[in-house]
Amino acid sequence: MLVSAILVAILAIISQWWFFAPATRCMTYPLTTGLLVGIAMGNPMLGMLAGANIQLVYLGWINTGGVMPSNTMVAGIYGTALTILSGANPKLAVTFAIPFSLLGLLMVQIYQTINSFWVHKADKALENEKIEQIRFLNYVPSFIISAIVYGIPAFLLVLLGKNWATGMVKIIPQNLTIALEVVGGIMPALGIAMLLNYLGKRSLVPYFFIGFFLTAYLKLEIMAVAIFSALIAYLIFEATKQKKVAKVQKKTVRRLTLNNRTGENIQSESGSLGDNGTTEISAADYKVKLTKSDLIKTWLWEQSDEATYNYERLQALGLTNMMIHSIKKLYPNDRQKQAQELKKYMVFFNTEPHMIGPVIHGIALSMEEARANGAAVTADDINGVRTGLMGPAAGIGDTVQQGIIFPILASIGCSMALEHNFLGPIFFTVIFEILIYSIGYWMFMYGYKKGKKSVLSILKSGILDKVTNAFSIVGLMVVGTMAATRVTIQSPLIWRVGQSTIKLQSILNKLAPGILPLAITCLVWYLLKKKVNATWIIVGIFVVGILFSYLGIFGIK
């Protein structure tokens, strides 16, 4: 058990200490961590089933703007560990996980508050031209805090918790155990409703019901619905895509230079005049240039931009760490200049970091290269562009990644996992990461090559809205399938009238298969639209689930 405790503690640490995003991104998701905790504790099947059940609750919990509505990392790792320790039915994993997720919010507050201290240490290090300290401050202190806040409790839970966990399960009355399973059967409705609240444009909502009834009536599997919905989305995308009115004039220079006064883009082949009559420097005449290798290294360093995520400046320290390699290349053998240039990145910054956000850093690199070669680019110009693109990139990135790509892949992965297929979490983790980091790498390079003006033209073109709508159609139909299959509630209520027996569930089935799960999901969705806090909805699900189970109104399929 000692080895298991150590392994689970490591998982808990890196679930919050985001030292390298490709290794840590999916550690925030119970579907991934459930299997890993199960392997660490010698019961991968139970771990996977527990993680999948927990993940269903959190399909729609989207972290935006540095705000975390619930700690899914703690829910997944601690909830799965407790399920395995107690040997409980994996459907009970949800009831173990939710209290941990709420406790995890306090853990996040402690972690990100303490991390603010290292930002001030980094300011002082740059003042003293101690650039190497930035790397240390970005990784080591946050690792120690994560180990204390997340790792030690997880270690103690696994090492010492088996006896009281099994004892706790044994003392729970059988009726209460059944009632808690009913709660677990209702709880996925919350995750599904949160996605509907996020994706549910009025014009697209019917696709949710199409997905639901395709499964309820035709018994289609989730993969079949996903393929069917993707084809529908493609046809709609093609039908609504605007034809190009005129060809875009080809531009000869692909990197960014800035006008001395106005900060407007001047794209020129060589020696063109800016709006103020000053001569701009062509990219072809740069004396100091970043190579493809330099760009790749900077992109890799960018994957650590949230290692010391903190309340005061969020990603600032990580992005300063990201720029060290390129700044050293642009200003060789001048530590004072290197430190001075890095200071501009120690300001508040926050955007979606993995998929769309990297375009901002590519643009910043293009501007840094122009600045190092004598172009009229100021530190304010660079931070003005970064700040201006921060919001749009976050809005698009969070919507597409967390609100569309994640729920589609997680829904498929959960369905596979709950059918005892180990490919479920593997499929989700691998495909999800390939998608977001391939796009992120391309966006980073695109930002460097094209500069601000071309990126803004894409954001304003409307094509992203059409792509988002197409993905939303797929997401809504897949989520509809999840509502039909994973809200596992039925009614065992029976009336006896003379010699006849009337079963409520039979009546409901004749009205429409799955109408009870659909009604519950729509009710939760309605409450969310009325701004009822999700925590109160969770409390309500516990109360109603337990009460209706004891009254014989609700049962599990």
Side-chain angles (χ1 to χ4, degrees):
M1 193 58 71
L2 177 61
V3 174
S4 295
I6 293 172
L7 292 175
V8 173
I10 292 172
L11 293 175
I13 291 169
I14 63 177
S15 72
Q16 179 63 70
W17 180 55
W18 300 327
F19 68 96
F20 185 66
T24 62
R25 180 67 184 92
C26 285
M27 298 298 290
T28 62
Y29 297 128
L31 179 58
T32 300
T33 56
L35 177 58
L36 294 176
V37 170
I39 292 171
M41 297 182 66
N43 197 337
M45 179 58 72
L46 181 55
M48 179 181 69
L49 293 173
N53 275 289
I54 295 168
Q55 184 66 78
L56 290 176
V57 180
Y58 296 105
L59 278 178
W61 294 75
I62 297 171
N63 302 329
T64 58
V67 177
M68 182 175 290
S70 187
N71 195 321
T72 58
M73 298 93 77
V74 171
I77 292 175
Y78 286 58
T80 300
L82 191 56
T83 302
I84 295 173
L85 285 171
S86 63
N89 187 316
K91 290 183 179 179
L92 291 178
V94 172
T95 62
F96 296 146
I98 288 175
F100 278 121
S101 74
L102 298 176
L103 176 63
L105 292 178
L106 175 61
M107 298 164 80
V108 168
Q109 291 171 358
I110 294 171
Y111 178 75
Q112 295 188 13
T113 299
I114 295 176
N115 277 346
S116 299
F117 179 74
W118 319 126
V119 175
H120 296 282
K121 287 287 187 181
D123 288 336
K124 188 173 182 180
L126 289 177
E127 286 292 339
N128 296 326
E129 301 174 14
K130 295 179 179 179
I131 296 172
E132 289 73 18
Q133 284 191 14
I134 300 299
R135 296 241 191 265
F136 176 87
L137 290 168
N138 191 54
Y139 295 105
V140 178
S142 57
F143 166 77
I144 294 172
I145 301 304
S146 184
I148 294 171
V149 175
Y150 288 86
I152 291 177
F155 176 82
L156 294 176
L157 173 67
V158 176
L159 186 66
L160 306 175
K162 183 173 180 60
N163 289 335
W164 66 263
T166 53
M168 178 183 65
V169 171
K170 287 179 180 179
I171 64 173
I172 297 177
Q174 180 66 24
N175 287 342
L176 181 56
T177 300
I178 295 172
L180 291 175
E181 290 179 3
V182 169
V183 170
I186 299 174
M187 202 62 75
L190 175 58
I192 293 167
M194 293 184 80
L195 279 173
L196 288 172
N197 202 39
Y198 192 74
L199 298 175
K201 294 181 182 178
R202 181 173 296 181
S203 61
L204 299 179
V205 167
Y207 291 102
F208 165 75
F209 293 98
I210 292 172
F212 181 91
F213 287 114
L214 281 174
T215 299
Y217 278 100
L218 302 181
K219 308 300 180 186
L220 292 184
E221 299 289 339
I222 190 169
M223 189 62 75
V225 173
I227 294 171
F228 184 57
S229 62
L231 293 173
I232 292 176
Y234 175 75
L235 291 174
I236 292 174
F237 175 78
E238 286 296 319
T240 58
K241 187 171 61 175
Q242 293 182 354
K243 295 181 179 180
K244 294 181 180 179
V245 178
K247 293 183 179 180
V248 179
Q249 186 178 1
K250 185 177 180 180
K251 294 182 173 61
T252 54
V253 167
R254 308 178 76 184
R255 283 201 291 274
L256 177 73
T257 58
L258 292 185
N259 179 278
N260 189 31
R261 293 180 184 174
T262 65
E264 296 176 350
N265 284 30
I266 306 296
Q267 304 217 9
S268 59
E269 188 163 13
S270 62
S272 298
L273 292 179
D275 289 346
N276 62 351
T278 61
T279 300
E280 297 292 332
I281 298 174
S282 167
D285 297 329
Y286 286 173
K287 295 181 180 179
V288 184
K289 294 184 178 181
L290 297 172
T291 66
K292 184 67 173 291
S293 176
D294 295 326
L295 297 175
I296 292 173
K297 288 177 182 178
T298 305
W299 177 75
L300 288 172
W301 283 113
E302 190 262 334
Q303 305 310 316
S304 303
D305 64 348
E306 294 185 313
T308 311
Y309 200 72
N310 62 88
Y311 282 131
E312 183 175 332
R313 298 187 216 172
L314 299 178
Q315 297 168 355
L317 180 53
L319 294 177
T320 305
N321 176 71
M322 173 195 74
M323 292 299 297
I324 289 175
H325 173 81
S326 293
I327 292 296
K328 283 185 173 181
K329 180 70 178 287
L330 293 172
Y331 303 96
N333 305 317
D334 189 344
R335 292 184 65 82
Q336 182 179 8
K337 183 64 173 175
Q338 292 168 7
Q340 185 65 34
E341 294 299 323
L342 287 170
K343 286 180 183 179
K344 74 172 79 72
Y345 293 93
M346 286 298 300
V347 298
F348 175 92
F349 190 90
N350 191 49
T351 195
E352 184 279 314
H354 308 302
M355 195 173 74
I356 304 300
V359 72
I360 301 174
H361 313 315
I363 292 170
L365 271 183
S366 178
M367 298 176 74
E368 288 286 4
E369 191 178 47
R371 176 175 165 84
N373 283 278
V377 181
T378 68
D380 288 340
D381 291 332
I382 295 174
N383 272 341
V385 170
R386 293 173 72 234
T387 302
L389 291 175
M390 186 171 71
I396 297 168
D398 287 334
T399 298
V400 175
Q401 183 190 145
Q402 296 188 61
I404 298 175
I405 294 177
F406 161 69
I408 292 172
L409 295 178
S411 296
I412 295 171
C414 284
S415 292
M416 295 171 68
L418 292 171
E419 292 171 0
H420 296 72
N421 188 340
F422 283 113
L423 288 178
I426 296 171
F427 164 84
F428 160 70
T429 304
V430 172
I431 301 300
F432 182 71
E433 294 217 351
I434 287 175
L435 277 176
I436 64 172
Y437 292 111
S438 295
I439 295 171
Y441 175 81
W442 183 85
M443 292 296 290
F444 182 89
M445 296 301 177
Y446 183 86
Y448 171 76
K449 291 176 182 178
K450 296 292 185 179
K452 178 183 69 172
K453 190 171 184 178
S454 295
V455 174
L456 288 176
S457 69
I458 288 179
L459 295 178
K460 295 176 181 178
S461 68
I463 189 69
L464 286 173
D465 289 335
K466 294 178 177 59
V467 172
T468 300
N469 281 343
F471 274 105
S472 295
I473 289 170
V474 179
L476 286 167
M477 290 184 68
V478 169
V479 167
T481 298
M482 295 299 291
T485 58
R486 299 307 168 192
V487 182
T488 55
I489 292 298
Q490 64 179 5
S491 179
L493 198 60
I494 297 174
W495 293 284
R496 298 188 185 278
V497 180
Q499 299 297 319
S500 301
T501 300
I502 301 174
K503 296 181 179 180
L504 177 59
Q505 189 60 48
S506 297
I507 297 173
L508 295 175
N509 289 341
K510 290 178 180 178
L511 291 173
I515 193 170
L516 184 58
L518 180 61
I520 291 172
T521 303
C522 290
L523 174 60
V524 176
W525 182 23
Y526 172 80
L527 294 175
L528 289 172
K529 289 179 75 68
K530 291 298 182 180
K531 308 300 182 183
V532 177
N533 189 284
T535 301
W536 286 112
I537 295 176
I538 289 173
V539 173
I541 289 173
F542 268 93
V543 172
V544 171
I546 293 172
L547 178 62
F548 279 32
S549 176
Y550 272 93
L551 294 175
I553 299 173
F554 281 175
I556 295 292
K557 289 183 182 178

